[in-house]
Structure formats: C-alpha cells, structure tokens
Amino acid sequence: FGTGDSALRELRKHENSKDIPFIFVTGLRPEKAQALVPAGDPNVRLMHKPLDWLLLKKWVVEMTGLTLNQDKP
C-alpha cells in the first residue's frame, strides 16, 4: 500500500474491511502524524515511538475484544 494512511484509506473502501481496527505506530512529530490519521474513526489509534507496550496491549484488547494473558507482558 505504501504508507499507513494510504493502507487505511484502501481498507476503508471495501465493505469487508471497513471496520478493521488500525493502530498507527509512528516516529513522526505528533502534529504531522495527527494530520494523517482520520478524526472520529473509533477503530483507529495513533501511537508514537517509543512504544508504550501496556497501552498497545490495552488498545488491542479494546479494539478486538480479545482477552490476553495478564501474566505476560
């Protein structure tokens, strides 16, 4: 697809992938990255590097409904 925002745009065009959870992980400055992420999409999150592994795990659980083993990072 090229970049994360172009991949997301392509996924959102199709009925069977329009609601797929999407987590952007970027090293871009926050103001530049925020401009690339669609506002108001409840299935999209934006995380800046370095990764916050606990927040990433929380988002995966929230966005997918999966239950992850709480004893392992």
Side-chain angles (χ1 to χ4, degrees):
F1 289 119
T3 62
D5 59 314
S6 62
L8 181 61
R9 280 194 305 275
E10 189 63 31
L11 287 169
R12 293 300 188 248
K13 288 180 186 178
H14 306 283
E15 185 63 31
N16 62 340
S17 62
K18 69 181 181 92
D19 294 321
I20 289 176
F22 201 94
I23 300 173
F24 284 93
V25 178
T26 183
L28 292 174
R29 291 188 325 266
E31 61 277 2
K32 185 169 183 176
Q34 194 64 48
L36 299 174
V37 177
D41 187 333
N43 293 313
V44 174
R45 304 288 189 281
L46 174 61
M47 180 174 286
H48 298 278
K49 295 177 183 176
L51 293 179
D52 178 336
W53 292 104
L54 293 177
L55 181 58
L56 181 60
K57 182 177 178 179
K58 177 183 176 223
W59 285 350
V60 169
V61 169
E62 287 176 1
M63 296 171 81
T64 66
L66 294 174
T67 303
L68 302 177
N69 184 336
Q70 299 301 317
D71 296 330
K72 296 183 180 178

